[in-house]
């Protein structure tokens, strides 16, 4: 009796443990799922925080790039100013009429800092005269570098060397301490030389207060041990955005910066740091920001603490609730177990109570149910394998097909069959894990919609991620109306898939067959019809017997090829694109070429590109690597269309290279023309024909080219150049109007006077008198 009570007590404890353990397992499972979700959430939040930080840095970089582009525009306008150009050769600025030039220069220079707060001030430094000009003021080198802008690291001699020995184009001097009119500043200096490469005549120096740059990056919180720098394309420090940081040393190995932008986590001085960087495509500068990881991910760490706290509370509360539920639910079961144990010999066998009940009451039922479930699970696999063999034509005789048909639980004898292939568009725009998951879901839903539409008239079988084979089954008396029945069901399904899944479906339908072994032929016919429908980029369905028959000749005559080559060499992208579209419509849409003929056509197109390689000195490997795709591609209309798109992209690449070559030549040519006009404008015989002869181009091309590049006519530019020089002479020289007209290139003073009055509203004599009184 004592032993029986001990066994019962032990059984009650086991029963309680059996009920408690599932609750605890469920609780731990929920905790594990929550932990995985938590991990993904933290990763996403960290990614969002770093991306937000990167976006802020990118925005600041873009603003600074636009500011620098404004400086480039300002310096280009100043470099093209006639007064600045004419003052370049002056060596004695205070001799004769040069004094009036200085006064005119002081008056005419526009004060850009009034409209652009990024510009602290700008100065034009001339090499020959050693004069410095700014809006409303002029200085000698010695006075300027001692009283106006005293650079701690450069004196007037160093500046003279910098101006005379190098031609600076959009060059930025790193931030350095400068005494501007007695006040200390940290300045960046933007340099743009005047004159010509190899013969600099001076420099335009734009002063930028480093505080203005720091304002652009003020959204980047670099306190609490952070730092930020701007590096040029050689890795040298242009500006430090962190007050108090050293300018000659970056606390990070810049060699680790890979790519145009990124985020790197590293311990610097035993402190976890997050380094964010981005490189400018405008000037190659690198923007580098380092912040303590705890600062950047402060919000993430706060969320982590909250989640950990609530997880611990949830775990303790869950264990307590699981204990209560297990105790309450075990009470009625314990009574049943005690009753069964009293009437059986389970005590001697030490059997588990719940296991004993399961074995004696429902053992046979469970075993039978298990066997039935296993058989039912195998049936879909057997049917799928059977249909695959049917579609692929792997049955030698109808008898073998009929035997296996009964084995999978189907009776399709004496029926007529038709195969249709359904293609879902929307699965070929690139893949990601989220997109694949979404497309899998849509594919399953689309398959289910097809099954519901078929009802008992057929079966659906997967043949690809975006394609289904549909086997329609009809009785013999329905064969005459099978087309209408098939089209009706597919039309209904197509509308449902389009409305609910936002996918476009395309169908290819084969012919009717009367035997199971003929299904493979109907399948191949449906595939060919579907490929033709995809090839033509059409929606809906196409029957095999509607396919065109003439598919053996492609269109690409010799004159079209010659024209295409000439257009590509000329860089005419519009005409090349138009011609390629015509070839596409003719060969892909109208002719419906067979696969072998289409390959011949594509090889012919690639051969046209190969002919261009030696003529334009292009990179042959680029074309050969793209052409190699055709050999490895599968024989499908979709792969042929994609290969033609590669041909189109390669022609686009050829046109872009041709245009780039033309553009570089155009810049050199316009500089040559303007330099010639600057030197020879005094020649009265200088005209469009003479300039065209000197540079050996036609005058028609010269006229059009000059208007395209400068925005004004050749004659208007020459007249403006002569008039600007005439104004200078009228204001500052003692020459007569006749002498001035002859000096600036006019053969007749009357012609000069009429042109001057037309442009300035007064005659040269009146203009000279007014300016003499003004400066006299």
């Amino acid at each position: 009796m004592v032993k029986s009570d001990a066994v019962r007590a032990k059984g009650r404890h086991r029963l309680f443990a059996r009920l408690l353990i599932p609750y605890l397992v469920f609780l731990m499972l929920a905790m594990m799922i929550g932990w995985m979700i938590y991990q993904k959430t933290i990763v996403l939040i960290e990614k969002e925080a770093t991306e937000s930080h990167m976006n802020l840095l990118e925005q600041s970089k873009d603003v600074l790039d636009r500011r620098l582009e404004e400086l480039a525009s300002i310096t280009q306008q100043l470099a093209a100013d006639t007064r600045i150009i004419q003052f370049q050769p002056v060596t004695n600025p205070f001799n004769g009429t040069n004094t009036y030039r200085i006064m005119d220069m002081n008056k005419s220079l526009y004060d850009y800092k009034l409209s652009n707060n990024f510009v602290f001030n700008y100065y034009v430094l001339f090499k020959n005269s050693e004069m410095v000009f700014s809006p409303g003021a002029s200085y000698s080198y010695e006075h300027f570098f001692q009283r106006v802008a005293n650079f701690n690291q450069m004196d007037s001699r160093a500046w003279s060397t910098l101006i005379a020995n190098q031609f600076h184009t959009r060059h930025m001097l790193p931030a350095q301490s400068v005494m501007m009119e007695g006040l200390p500043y940290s300045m960046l200096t933007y340099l743009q030389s005047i004159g010509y490469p190899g013969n600099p005549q001076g420099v335009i120096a734009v002063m930028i207060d480093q505080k203005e740059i720091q304002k652009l990056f003020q959204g980047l919180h670099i306190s609490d041990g952070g730092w930020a720098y701007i590096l040029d394309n050689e890795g040298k420090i242009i500006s430090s955005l962190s007050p108090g940081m050293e300018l000659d040393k970056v606390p990070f190995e810049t060699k680790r910066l890979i790519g145009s932008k990124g985020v790197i986590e590293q311990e610097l001085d035993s402190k976890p740091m997050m380094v964010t960087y981005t490189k400018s495509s405008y000037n190659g500068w690198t923007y580098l920001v380092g912040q303590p990881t705890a600062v950047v991910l402060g919000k993430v760490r706060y969320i982590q603490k909250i989640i950990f706290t609530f997880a611990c509370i949830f775990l303790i509360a869950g264990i307590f609730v699981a204990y209560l539920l297990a105790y309450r639910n075990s009470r009625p079961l314990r009574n049943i177990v005690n009753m069964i144990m009293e009437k059986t010999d389970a005590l001697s066998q030490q059997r588990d109570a719940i296991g004993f009940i399961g074995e004696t009451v429902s053992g046979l039922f469970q075993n039978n149910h298990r066997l039935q479930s296993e058989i039912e699970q195998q049936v879909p696999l057997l049917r799928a394998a059977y249909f695959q063999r049917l579609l692929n034509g792997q049955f030698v005789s109808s008898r073998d097909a009929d035997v296996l048909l009964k084995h999978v639980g189907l009776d399709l004898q004496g029926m007529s069959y038709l195969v249709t292939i359904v293609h879902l568009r929307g699965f070929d725009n690139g893949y990601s894990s989220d997109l694949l998951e979404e497309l899998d879901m849509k594919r399953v839903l689309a398959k289910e919609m097809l099954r519901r539409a078929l009802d008992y008239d057929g079966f659906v079988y997967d043949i690809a991620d975006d394609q289904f084979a549909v086997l329609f089954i009809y009785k013999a008396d329905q064969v005459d109306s099978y087309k209408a029945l098939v089209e009706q069901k597919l039309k209904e399904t197509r509308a449902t898939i389009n409305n609910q899944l936002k996918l476009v479906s395309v169908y290819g339908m084969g012919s009717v067959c009367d035997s199971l072994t003929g299904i493979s032929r109907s399948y191949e016919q449906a595939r060919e019809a579907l490929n033709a429908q995809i090839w033509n980029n059409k929606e809906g369905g196409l029957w095999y017997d509607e396919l065109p028959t003439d598919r053996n000749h492609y269109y690409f005559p010799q004159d079209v090829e010659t024209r295409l080559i000439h257009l590509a060499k000329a860089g005419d992208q519009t005409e090349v694109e138009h011609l390629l579209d015509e070839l596409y419509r003719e060969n892909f849409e109208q002719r419906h070429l067979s696969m072998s003929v289409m390959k011949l056509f594509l090889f012919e197109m690639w051969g046209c590109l190969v002919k261009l390689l030696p003529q334009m000195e292009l990179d042959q490997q680029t074309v050969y690597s793209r052409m190699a795709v055709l050999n490895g591609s599968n024989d499908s209309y979709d792969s042929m269309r994609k290969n033609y798109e590669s041909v189109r992209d390669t022609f686009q690449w050829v046109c872009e290279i041709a245009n780039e070559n033309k553009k570089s030549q155009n810049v050199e040519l316009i500089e040559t023309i303007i330099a010639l006009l600057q030197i020879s404008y005094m020649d009265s015989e200088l005209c469009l024909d003479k300039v065209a002869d000197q540079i050996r181009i036609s005058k028609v091309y010269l006229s059009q080219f000059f208007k395209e590049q400068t925005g004004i006519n050749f004659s208007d530019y020459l007249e403006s150049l002569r008039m600007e020089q005439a104004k200078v002479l009228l204001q500052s020289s003692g020459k007569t109007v006749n002498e001035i007209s002859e000096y600036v290139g006019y053969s007749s003073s009357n012609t000069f006077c009429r042109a001057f009055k037309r442009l300035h509203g007064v005659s040269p004599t009146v203009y000279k008198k007014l300016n003499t009184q003004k400066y006299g």
Side-chain angles (χ1 to χ4, degrees):
M1 185 64 179
V2 174
K3 183 178 180 180
S4 177
D5 292 340
V7 171
R8 290 179 181 178
K10 187 176 182 180
R12 287 195 296 268
H13 291 310
R14 287 182 177 177
L15 182 60
F16 175 76
R18 287 287 301 271
L19 292 175
L20 179 61
I21 289 174
Y23 289 121
L24 296 178
V25 170
F26 179 78
L27 180 64
M28 297 306 298
L29 181 63
M31 292 293 294
M32 292 175 62
I33 295 174
W35 175 257
M36 290 187 292
I37 296 174
Y38 159 77
Q39 290 290 341
K40 291 186 177 182
T41 303
I42 291 300
V43 170
L44 290 176
I45 295 176
E46 290 182 353
K47 182 179 179 182
E48 181 180 356
T50 54
E51 288 181 352
S52 175
H53 196 64
M54 174 63 75
N55 291 337
L56 187 59
L57 183 60
E58 287 276 358
Q59 293 172 4
S60 301
K61 178 206 68 176
D62 293 341
V63 173
L64 184 55
D65 285 349
R66 290 195 296 270
R67 290 292 196 174
L68 294 177
E69 182 64 26
E70 292 173 5
L71 293 186
S73 176
I74 290 172
T75 55
Q76 289 174 2
Q77 293 176 14
L78 290 172
D81 192 309
T82 305
R83 298 176 182 83
I84 293 177
I85 294 173
Q86 294 173 353
F87 199 82
Q88 293 174 12
V90 174
T91 57
N92 191 350
F94 300 103
N95 181 30
T97 60
N98 292 333
T99 305
Y100 294 100
R101 291 187 180 182
I102 294 174
M103 298 173 65
D104 183 51
M105 185 87 68
N106 291 338
K107 180 185 67 174
S108 61
L109 289 180
Y110 178 72
D111 192 355
Y112 286 100
K113 66 182 179 182
L114 298 177
S115 57
N116 191 330
N117 58 3
F118 192 67
V119 177
F120 182 83
N121 205 346
Y122 74 91
Y123 304 93
V124 184
L125 294 84
F126 291 93
K127 180 182 71 172
N128 295 323
S129 61
E130 294 190 351
M131 289 289 296
V132 181
F133 289 87
S134 66
S138 59
Y139 318 92
S140 65
Y141 271 21
E142 182 177 359
H143 177 81
F144 177 74
F145 290 110
Q146 289 183 0
R147 302 288 182 84
V148 180
N150 188 351
F151 289 77
N152 292 349
Q153 300 177 9
M154 297 178 65
D155 54 11
S156 58
R157 180 175 299 176
W159 269 94
S160 298
T161 303
L162 183 67
I163 295 171
N165 295 344
Q166 299 181 33
F167 189 87
H168 304 279
T169 301
R170 301 186 180 185
H171 181 62
M172 182 72 74
L173 295 181
Q176 55 183 302
S177 299
V178 183
M179 295 294 293
M180 299 296 296
E181 297 180 357
L183 296 177
Y185 291 93
S186 178
M187 289 287 184
L188 286 86
T189 308
Y190 181 90
L191 300 180
Q192 175 64 49
S193 294
I194 54 179
Y196 301 94
N199 185 24
Q201 297 297 316
V203 71
I204 300 171
V206 182
M207 310 300 293
I208 306 168
D209 192 347
Q210 186 171 219
K211 291 181 179 179
E212 294 297 327
I213 296 181
Q214 292 175 348
K215 289 179 182 179
L216 298 178
F217 293 84
Q218 62 185 357
L220 300 171
H221 302 291
I222 51 179
S223 58
D224 299 328
W227 42 262
Y229 292 93
I230 299 177
L231 312 179
D232 62 10
N233 52 5
E234 297 179 355
K236 298 179 180 179
I237 297 176
I238 293 295
S239 176
S240 170
L241 307 178
S242 311
M245 296 297 293
E246 297 180 13
L247 289 177
D248 58 349
K249 182 180 179 183
V250 178
F252 181 78
E253 295 182 6
T254 56
K255 296 180 179 179
R256 297 193 59 195
L257 305 181
I258 301 174
S260 59
K261 62 179 180 179
V263 179
I264 300 175
E265 291 191 45
Q266 182 180 355
E267 283 197 5
L268 300 177
D269 297 331
S270 302
K271 186 177 183 181
M273 297 288 289
M274 181 171 289
V275 179
T276 307
Y277 67 93
T278 180
K279 296 183 179 179
S280 172
S281 59
Y282 171 72
N283 53 18
W285 286 7
T286 300
Y287 299 82
L288 189 66
V289 179
Q291 293 178 287
T293 305
V295 175
V296 179
L297 303 179
K299 185 183 296 185
V300 178
R301 301 294 182 256
Y302 177 73
I303 294 174
Q304 285 179 319
K305 292 180 181 178
I306 293 178
I307 293 177
F308 272 117
T309 302
F310 278 97
C312 292
I313 296 174
F314 175 78
L315 181 60
I316 295 172
I319 293 174
F320 179 73
V321 172
Y323 184 87
L324 293 179
L325 291 176
Y327 181 79
R328 187 186 67 177
N329 294 332
S330 65
R331 182 179 298 175
L333 291 177
R334 287 199 303 269
N335 295 333
I336 296 174
V337 169
N338 290 334
M339 180 182 63
I340 294 175
M341 292 178 67
E342 289 176 355
K343 298 181 179 181
T344 62
D345 56 353
L347 292 175
S348 61
Q349 299 179 6
Q350 299 292 319
R351 302 295 300 274
D352 177 75
I354 296 180
F356 175 76
I357 295 173
E359 289 178 358
T360 56
V361 177
S362 61
L364 293 176
F365 173 78
Q366 291 178 356
N367 291 335
N368 183 57
H369 180 71
R370 189 183 306 110
L371 291 174
Q372 291 180 353
S373 298
E374 291 176 357
I375 293 174
E376 292 176 358
Q377 290 174 2
Q378 294 296 326
V379 169
L381 299 177
L382 293 174
R383 289 182 179 178
Y386 178 80
F387 283 124
Q388 183 178 10
R389 295 184 64 184
L390 276 179
L391 296 177
N392 294 333
Q394 296 179 357
F395 289 105
V396 179
S397 64
S398 299
R399 184 176 60 84
D400 295 336
D402 293 337
V403 171
L404 287 178
L405 187 65
K406 295 179 180 179
H407 180 67
V408 297
L410 296 175
D411 186 10
L412 305 180
Q413 295 180 353
M415 308 291 285
S416 296
Y417 314 100
L418 166 68
V419 177
T420 297
I421 300 178
V422 181
H423 173 77
L424 301 178
R425 286 181 177 169
F427 289 72
D428 53 357
N429 295 325
Y431 295 96
S432 63
S433 58
D434 295 335
L435 181 60
L436 287 172
E437 184 177 354
E438 178 184 356
L439 294 181
D440 284 341
M441 179 185 67
K442 288 186 176 181
R443 180 173 59 83
V444 173
L445 293 176
K447 185 177 179 181
E448 187 61 28
M449 292 175 184
L450 280 170
R451 284 175 175 168
R452 288 200 298 266
L454 290 175
D455 197 11
Y456 295 100
D457 293 335
F459 302 92
V460 182
Y461 174 71
D462 291 321
I463 58 176
D465 290 339
D466 55 351
Q467 290 184 358
F468 309 109
V470 182
L471 177 63
F472 288 91
I473 304 171
Y474 295 99
K475 295 180 181 179
D477 56 353
Q478 293 179 320
V479 172
D480 294 335
S481 59
Y482 75 94
K483 279 192 174 183
L485 294 173
V486 169
E487 290 178 350
Q488 178 183 358
K489 289 182 179 295
L490 294 178
K491 183 177 180 181
E492 294 174 355
T493 308
R494 178 172 176 267
T496 304
I497 292 174
N498 188 22
N499 294 332
Q500 297 185 15
L501 303 181
K502 306 303 180 184
L503 293 177
V504 177
S505 51
V506 184
Y507 309 102
M509 294 160 282
S511 302
V512 175
C513 57
D514 298 325
S515 65
L516 292 174
T517 54
I519 290 177
S520 60
R521 177 175 57 83
S522 180
Y523 172 71
E524 292 300 327
Q525 293 173 349
R527 180 179 292 279
E528 188 170 355
L530 175 64
N531 287 336
Q533 195 74 339
I534 296 175
W535 180 274
N536 296 325
N537 197 24
K538 293 183 179 180
E539 300 178 5
L542 179 68
W543 291 93
Y544 174 77
D545 54 12
E546 295 175 353
L547 290 173
T549 57
D550 184 15
R551 308 169 65 192
N552 299 319
H553 299 89
Y554 64 83
Y555 172 77
F556 191 43
Q558 181 65 37
D559 58 333
V560 174
E561 180 184 11
T562 303
R563 183 184 172 200
L564 185 60
I565 291 175
H566 289 325
L567 290 172
K569 290 169 61 178
D572 193 342
Q573 297 182 359
T574 303
E575 289 299 322
V576 168
E577 194 73 15
H578 178 71
L579 195 55
L580 290 174
D581 289 339
E582 289 183 355
L583 290 172
Y584 180 87
R585 285 192 296 270
E586 181 67 28
N587 293 284
F588 282 73
E589 298 179 358
Q590 298 180 10
R591 300 210 172 202
H592 308 297
L593 304 176
S594 64
M595 201 65 62
S596 58
V597 176
M598 178 52 62
K599 272 199 170 184
L600 291 176
F601 167 68
L602 289 174
F603 278 123
E604 188 79 4
M605 294 296 296
W606 284 113
C608 178
L609 281 165
V610 171
K611 294 177 184 178
L612 275 170
L613 298 179
Q615 300 180 34
M616 297 186 63
E617 299 181 355
L618 298 176
D619 181 15
Q620 299 181 2
Q621 191 60 37
T622 300
V623 177
Y624 290 153
S625 61
R626 297 184 180 185
M627 185 171 60
V629 179
L630 184 60
N631 293 327
S633 62
N634 57 347
D635 291 342
S636 68
Y637 290 102
D638 187 61
S639 65
M640 296 296 105
R641 182 184 289 108
K642 289 181 179 179
N643 195 275
Y644 190 80
E645 289 299 323
S646 181
V647 172
R648 187 192 299 270
D649 293 341
T650 308
F651 270 106
Q652 185 78 8
W653 170 70
V654 172
C655 291
E656 290 175 355
I657 292 178
N659 287 326
E660 288 177 0
N661 294 336
K662 288 168 56 180
K663 184 177 180 181
S664 61
Q665 295 172 0
N666 291 342
V667 172
E668 182 178 354
L669 179 58
I670 193 63
E671 290 178 351
T672 302
I673 296 172
I674 291 177
L676 180 60
L677 295 179
Q678 295 282 353
I679 297 172
S680 308
Y681 72 91
M682 298 85 73
D683 184 2
S684 60
E685 295 181 359
L686 185 66
C687 61
L688 186 66
D689 291 342
K690 189 172 182 179
V691 174
D693 291 339
Q694 290 187 20
I695 60 178
R696 299 180 181 179
I697 61 176
S698 68
K699 68 174 185 178
V700 176
Y701 177 76
L702 173 60
S703 178
Q704 295 176 350
F705 175 77
F706 194 90
K707 179 65 179 294
E708 291 175 357
Q709 297 297 318
T710 63
I712 61 176
N713 294 326
F714 176 90
S715 58
D716 293 339
Y717 182 87
L718 180 57
E719 184 180 53
S720 174
L721 185 62
R722 287 170 170 171
M723 285 301 170
E724 288 297 325
Q725 181 63 23
K727 286 168 57 179
V728 174
L729 294 174
L730 288 170
Q731 294 175 8
S732 59
S733 71
K735 294 182 180 181
T736 64
V737 173
N738 291 336
E739 292 174 341
I740 292 174
S741 66
E742 183 179 355
Y743 181 81
V744 297
Y746 284 89
S747 58
S748 169
S749 61
N750 291 332
T751 304
F752 168 70
C753 291
R754 286 196 301 270
F756 193 93
K757 188 172 183 179
R758 173 170 51 83
L759 292 176
H760 301 96
V762 295
S763 65
T765 305
V766 174
Y767 183 86
K768 180 178 179 67
K769 183 178 180 180
L770 292 174
N771 284 274
T772 302
Q773 294 175 354
K774 182 176 181 181
Y775 295 104

